[in-house]
Amino acid sequence: MKRTSRDIRTAHRYEVLRQVIAASPASRQGLASATGLSLATVATLVGELLDLRMISEVGFEDSAGGRPRGLVAVNASGGALIGVDIAETYVHVELFDLALTVLARADEEMRPGESQPERVVGVVAAAIASVVARAGVAPDRVLGVGVSVPGQVDRDTGVAEYAPNLDWHDVPLLDLLAEHTPYPLHLDNPLRACVVAELWFGAARGHEDAVVVNLGTGVGAGLALGGGLHRGVSNSAGEWGHTTLVLNGRLCHCGNHGCVETYVGAPGIMQNLHELSPSSALLHPGNQTATIDALARAAAEHDPVALKTVQDTARYLGAGIADLINLLNPEVVVLSSWVASRLGEPLLDEVRRVVSRHALGRPLAATGIVLSPIATDPVCLGAATFALEGALRTVGQRQETVRGTAPARSRTAPPS
Amino acid sequence: MKRTSRDIRTAHRYEVLRQVIAASPASRQGLASATGLSLATVATLVGELLDLRMISEVGFEDSAGGRPRGLVAVNASGGALIGVDIAETYVHVELFDLALTVLARADEEMRPGESQPERVVGVVAAAIASVVARAGVAPDRVLGVGVSVPGQVDRDTGVAEYAPNLDWHDVPLLDLLAEHTPYPLHLDNPLRACVVAELWFGAARGHEDAVVVNLGTGVGAGLALGGGLHRGVSNSAGEWGHTTLVLNGRLCHCGNHGCVETYVGAPGIMQNLHELSPSSALLHPGNQTATIDALARAAAEHDPVALKTVQDTARYLGAGIADLINLLNPEVVVLSSWVASRLGEPLLDEVRRVVSRHALGRPLAATGIVLSPIATDPVCLGAATFALEGALRTVGQRQETVRGTAPARSRTAPPS
C-alpha cells in the first residue's frame, strides 16, 4: 500500500495550491515553511501551477535588504470547479472559482420516493448546466465536478455501492451522470467532503487530529488524522453512524440494532420526539426538514418538549462523541451538516455537558467541540476540492485516462 | 503541532534502523526503497548508526556488474534494551539485544491488593537488575528501559495519570523508578506498545491501517493509521475499552455505564460466566487468571458452559470490533494480550462470525481478523522499541537533557 511517486507529487502539488488558496499572496519561501517541502520542490511545483494558470505572479514582497521575494496568488478566474451534494432530502450544486468562492448555486428539494438514481441524475445534470450558465463560465474552463453521495462509494469505479437512506445499491452514478454532463467527474461521500472543507476553510484548520461529525438524515464522522484525511483501506472510514451505542436497541436500516444513527439522525430525532410526545405539533410525519425546523424554532422559544427532545438527542449524541474522543483523542470535534446547523447552540451546549460526563479526563482536556463555521454547504465545498485534486492528478497524464471528456484540461495541461 | 526537523530526523533514523532490524543484511539502496527516503539521506543515517555501533558493515551484495553495494546488518550486541509490562495481575520484564531477541526475562505475579505504586516500583526495579545480571550484559550497554503501564500516561513527565484497574491516579512512576534504576526510562501504555510490536514483528507488518485489540484485565485498541502509530493529540488515543456498547449497561470503574471493557475485559468475562452459571466450577472468584485459564481448558474440551461464555463474550467483542471496522476501515484487526492468547481460536472463530453480521459490507470485505502471531509478551517487545526510539532521539543531544543517567550513551553518541 505504499504511495507511488506520482501520488506523492500530486499530493505536494495539491498541498502547495491549497496553501496559496488559503493565504494569497504567498512567497515560495513562505510556502516551503508552511508545507514542510524544500524550497526547490516548491519552486518546481509553483512553476507547474503557473503554467496551468491556476496561480499567477503578483509582485514582490517588501524586503529589508536581500533579493526581493516574488509573490504568487491564486488566479481565481483560471478555472471553475463544481461541487454536488446529493442528500436524502435535497440536491445542492455550487460552482466555485479557483479561490473557492461560490459564483452560482442551485438547490433542489427531494421528496420521499423521488430518489431513484435516474431521477437524481437528471436533477443533478440540469443543476450543473444551470450553474455553469448562470455563472457565465465558459464550459471549457470547468476543471471538474466533485459529487458527494451518502454511504459507501467506490472512487475508482464511480459506483455508489450502498446508500441505505436512498435505498441505492451498486448504482454506477458517474457513468449515468457522464451521459448528461461533459465534465470530468469525481465521486466521494459527504463525510470526507466535510472533513476536507473543515481542514481548508473551517474549524479543523491547523489541527493534526480532527473529527467532523456529520448530522443529517444519516450521520457519520469524517476523520482528519495526522494532518490529513483518513480514508481507510477501502475509502469507507467514518461510518460512526453504524457503530453500536445501544446493543439490541433500535433497528437500523443497515440491519443492526442500536446504531448511533438511529438515535441522532434526523429520523432518529423524530423518533426521540415521538417517544416523548406522540401527538406533538412539532412532529411533521414524513417530513424531516419541517420537523427539525419546527424543533429548532420551538427550542429557541424555550418550548419544554422541544428542549427535552434536544436534551434526549444530546444524551445519545454526547455519548457517541465521547466514544470518538476516547478512541481518537482529537484536538477538535466539529458538528456539521444541516441538522447541526439548525439545532445549533442549544444542541451544542447539551452535547458539551454530556461529553464532559462521559469522556476520560486526559482526552477530554485536549478537545474542543464546536459548530462548523462554514456558512455555505460544506459538502459542496469539499466536493469541489476533490474535483480540484482530481484536476491536479491529471497534470501530465494522457487525456484518455481521465474519466469523461475534459476540454479545459487539454488547454491548460502542459504536454506530458 | 508541526513536527520539528529534529523530530523528523529522529523518525527517519528510527525508520532506517527498524528496516535493518527487520531485514538484515540490507544495502543502502534497499533501505532507501523500503523507507521511501532518498539514498543520500539513508547514507547519512546509516553513517550515524554505524558510528553508534548499532549496525555494522557486513560485506557486499552479489552484483551482476556495476559497483558492488555495501551491506549493513544490525549489531545485536551493540546495546541492550529492556521492556517492562506492568499489568493488573503481573509484571513482566524482558531484556533484548539490538536485534530485539530476548536474552533474559523475569515474570512476577501481582495479587489483588499488591498494586500500590511503591510496591510495584520495587518489583520492577528488582526485576530489571535481575535480567541485566542474568543476561550478563554490562550495565553501560543498556540503552534504555521502556515501561508500559495501563491507562492514561504522560510520556513527557513520566506520570501514570489514570490507571483505573490499578487504582492509580497521577503516579510519578518514572521519578519513583529512577531512584532505584540507573537507566534512561521511557513511559507509555500497552495499547501503543502492542501496536508497535505488531507493526515491527507481527500481523500489522506492511499494512497502512491496523487495529490491535488488547484483551487483558482492561481492554483497548492500539491504532496504526497511515502506516504509523496514531497517538492522538495528548497520547491517549485507543481507549476503545471506554466507549459505550450498551447505553445504561454495566457500571464501569471509569464512572460510565456500558463500556466495552465491562463486557470483554477479564472481569467482564467472569461476569458473563457468572450470569450464565453462578455456581460454575470454572469461576475462581477474585482470580482472573485462574478463571480465564479454566475457561480456555474447558472450551477446548467442548464444555457447554465454557463455550456459551465464549459465545456471549464474542457477541459483545464482535459488536465492538465491527464498530472499529466501520469507523476506521483497517486492513487488519489483531487480537492481542493474555486473554486473547488464552481463549485463542474458539474466541476468534466466534468473533469473526459476529463481526460478519455487524460490519458494513465494504469495510468488512477489506479486513482480516487474526490472533497476534507474537510468541513472547508483545508489550515488553513494544516497550523495548520505545526505549530504542528514545535512545535514537538523544543522539547528538546534550546528556543532561536525558532522563536518568545514561553511561552507555556517553560512549556511543557522537559529539554534538
Side-chain angles (χ1 to χ4, degrees):
Chain A
M1 299 297 298
K2 285 256 172 209
R3 299 197 303 171
T4 65
S5 57
R6 171 182 286 281
D7 292 339
I8 292 168
R9 193 169 180 87
T10 298
H12 289 168
R13 198 184 286 128
Y14 188 58
E15 186 64 23
V16 167
L17 181 57
R18 172 182 160 176
Q19 279 298 328
V20 177
I21 291 173
S24 279
S27 68
R28 288 163 184 78
Q29 289 81 358
L31 291 170
S33 87
T35 58
L37 299 171
S38 74
L39 185 55
T41 300
V42 167
T44 305
L45 298 172
V46 163
E48 287 175 4
L49 294 169
L50 286 167
D51 287 346
L52 292 166
R53 295 192 294 139
M54 287 179 163
I55 63 175
S56 45
E57 306 266 15
V58 293
F60 294 91
E61 202 168 50
D62 281 343
S63 115
R67 201 146 59 116
R69 295 174 167 183
L71 293 172
V72 295
V74 65
N75 178 22
S77 61
L81 300 160
I82 295 173
V84 176
D85 176 8
I86 300 174
E88 292 81 356
T89 55
Y90 58 80
V91 169
H92 290 168
V93 176
E94 296 185 351
L95 185 144
F96 300 84
D97 66 17
L98 279 192
L100 274 312
T101 302
V102 178
L103 299 185
R105 61 181 299 164
D107 291 355
E108 304 291 339
E109 243 186 89
M110 303 265 287
R111 267 174 289 268
E114 292 185 353
S115 65
Q116 304 89 334
E118 297 70 18
R119 186 154 187 167
V120 171
V121 163
V123 169
V124 170
I128 289 173
S130 156
V131 292
V132 173
R134 279 191 286 134
V137 165
D140 67 358
R141 281 184 37 231
V142 177
L143 300 182
V145 180
V147 179
S148 163
V149 69
Q152 295 170 49
V153 300
D154 188 319
R155 295 163 79 213
D156 297 328
T157 60
V159 171
E161 287 194 345
Y162 179 49
N165 286 302
L166 292 168
D167 197 23
W168 285 11
H169 300 266
D170 295 316
V171 172
L173 187 66
L174 293 201
D175 283 344
L176 294 173
L177 203 48
E179 293 172 18
H180 298 88
T181 196
Y183 312 113
L185 299 168
H186 306 274
L187 182 65
D188 217 311
N189 90 357
L191 304 180
R192 285 176 283 281
C194 279
V195 170
V196 170
E198 296 295 336
L199 273 173
W200 281 49
F201 298 104
R205 263 181 87 166
H207 292 300
E208 281 288 290
D209 299 317
V211 175
V212 180
V213 167
N214 220 306
L215 300 174
T217 303
V219 309
L223 309 178
L225 303 175
L229 176 57
H230 174 70
R231 293 187 172 280
V233 62
S234 56
N235 194 44
S236 73
E239 293 292 348
W240 170 72
H242 300 287
T243 63
T244 303
L245 185 61
V246 186
L247 199 73
N248 305 319
R250 290 182 187 168
L251 177 64
C252 182
H253 45 62
C254 79
N256 275 323
H257 286 264
C259 290
V260 169
E261 183 166 305
T262 63
Y263 296 91
V264 305
I269 297 174
M270 289 173 75
Q271 186 168 343
N272 300 342
L273 170 56
H274 185 266
E275 286 179 0
L276 187 67
S277 172
S279 60
S280 168
L282 301 173
L283 206 53
H284 295 62
N287 193 331
Q288 300 171 28
T289 322
T291 306
I292 299 295
D293 278 344
L295 258 180
R297 274 193 307 268
E301 288 158 8
H302 306 288
D303 173 83
V305 169
L307 291 177
K308 185 68 170 61
T309 304
V310 169
Q311 259 177 24
D312 289 350
T313 301
R315 196 162 51 90
Y316 297 115
L317 181 58
I321 288 175
D323 290 350
L324 291 169
I325 290 171
N326 286 353
L327 183 65
L328 297 172
N329 188 202
E331 275 177 286
V332 65
V333 176
V334 186
L335 305 187
S336 179
S337 199
W338 66 272
V339 170
S341 73
R342 286 176 204 208
L343 296 181
E345 296 288 341
L347 180 67
L348 178 68
D349 290 345
E350 288 295 330
V351 163
R352 282 179 173 155
R353 229 188 308 274
V354 175
V355 167
S356 71
R357 283 202 312 270
H358 274 77
L360 294 169
R362 189 171 170 87
L364 178 66
T367 304
I369 306 176
V370 300
L371 294 172
S372 170
I374 297 175
T376 57
D377 181 335
V379 176
C380 285
L381 183 57
T385 69
F386 289 133
L388 179 57
E389 192 179 11
L392 292 176
R393 201 179 303 123
T394 61
V395 172
Q397 270 184 337
R398 293 186 166 279
Q399 197 183 328
E400 54 265 41
T401 65
V402 180
R403 172 178 285 279
T405 59
R409 187 156 311 103
S410 62
R411 300 204 191 159
T412 54
S416 52
Chain B
M1 299 296 299
K2 284 256 174 213
R3 300 199 302 173
T4 66
S5 58
R6 171 181 287 282
D7 292 339
I8 291 167
R9 194 170 179 87
T10 298
H12 288 168
R13 198 183 287 126
Y14 187 59
E15 185 65 21
V16 167
L17 181 57
R18 171 182 160 177
Q19 280 297 329
V20 178
I21 291 172
S24 279
S27 68
R28 290 163 182 78
Q29 290 80 358
L31 291 169
S33 87
T35 59
L37 299 171
S38 74
L39 185 56
T41 300
V42 167
T44 304
L45 299 172
V46 163
E48 288 175 4
L49 294 170
L50 286 167
D51 288 346
L52 292 165
R53 295 192 294 140
M54 287 179 163
I55 63 175
S56 46
E57 305 266 13
V58 293
F60 294 90
E61 202 168 49
D62 282 342
S63 113
R67 201 146 60 119
R69 294 173 168 185
L71 293 173
V72 294
V74 66
N75 179 22
S77 60
L81 300 160
I82 295 174
V84 176
D85 176 9
I86 300 174
E88 293 81 357
T89 55
Y90 59 81
V91 169
H92 291 169
V93 176
E94 297 184 349
L95 185 143
F96 300 82
D97 66 17
L98 279 193
L100 275 312
T101 302
V102 179
L103 300 185
R105 59 181 300 163
D107 291 356
E108 304 290 339
E109 245 186 86
M110 301 266 287
R111 270 175 287 269
E114 293 185 351
S115 64
Q116 304 88 336
E118 296 71 18
R119 188 156 188 166
V120 171
V121 162
V123 169
V124 169
I128 288 173
S130 157
V131 292
V132 172
R134 280 192 285 133
V137 166
D140 67 358
R141 282 184 37 232
V142 176
L143 299 182
V145 180
V147 179
S148 163
V149 70
Q152 295 170 49
V153 300
D154 188 317
R155 295 163 80 212
D156 297 328
T157 60
V159 171
E161 286 194 346
Y162 179 49
N165 286 303
L166 293 167
D167 197 22
W168 284 11
H169 299 265
D170 294 316
V171 172
L173 187 66
L174 294 200
D175 283 345
L176 294 173
L177 202 49
E179 292 172 18
H180 298 87
T181 197
Y183 312 113
L185 299 167
H186 306 275
L187 182 65
D188 216 312
N189 90 357
L191 304 181
R192 283 175 284 281
C194 280
V195 170
V196 170
E198 296 295 337
L199 272 173
W200 282 49
F201 299 102
R205 262 181 87 168
H207 293 301
E208 281 288 289
D209 298 318
V211 175
V212 181
V213 167
N214 221 306
L215 299 174
T217 302
V219 309
L223 308 178
L225 303 175
L229 176 57
H230 175 72
R231 293 187 172 282
V233 61
S234 57
N235 193 44
S236 74
E239 294 292 349
W240 170 72
H242 300 286
T243 62
T244 302
L245 185 61
V246 186
L247 199 74
N248 304 320
R250 291 182 186 169
L251 179 63
C252 183
H253 46 60
C254 79
N256 275 322
H257 287 263
C259 291
V260 169
E261 182 166 305
T262 62
Y263 297 91
V264 304
I269 297 174
M270 290 173 74
Q271 187 167 344
N272 300 342
L273 170 56
H274 185 266
E275 287 180 359
L276 187 67
S277 172
S279 61
S280 169
L282 302 173
L283 207 52
H284 295 62
N287 193 331
Q288 301 171 28
T289 322
T291 306
I292 299 294
D293 278 344
L295 257 180
R297 274 193 307 270
E301 290 158 8
H302 306 289
D303 173 84
V305 169
L307 291 176
K308 184 67 169 62
T309 303
V310 170
Q311 259 177 25
D312 288 351
T313 300
R315 198 162 49 92
Y316 298 116
L317 181 57
I321 288 176
D323 290 350
L324 291 169
I325 291 172
N326 286 352
L327 183 65
L328 298 172
N329 188 203
E331 274 176 286
V332 65
V333 176
V334 186
L335 305 187
S336 180
S337 200
W338 65 273
V339 171
S341 72
R342 287 175 205 212
L343 296 181
E345 295 288 343
L347 180 67
L348 177 68
D349 290 345
E350 288 295 330
V351 164
R352 283 179 173 155
R353 231 188 306 275
V354 174
V355 168
S356 70
R357 283 203 310 270
H358 274 76
L360 294 169
R362 188 173 170 87
L364 178 66
T367 305
I369 307 175
V370 299
L371 293 172
S372 170
I374 297 175
T376 57
D377 182 334
V379 176
C380 286
L381 183 57
T385 68
F386 289 133
L388 179 57
E389 191 179 15
L392 292 176
R393 200 180 304 122
T394 61
V395 173
Q397 269 185 340
R398 296 187 162 279
Q399 199 185 326
E400 54 264 41
T401 65
V402 180
R403 172 178 285 276
T405 60
R409 186 154 313 101
S410 61
R411 300 203 191 159
T412 54
S416 52

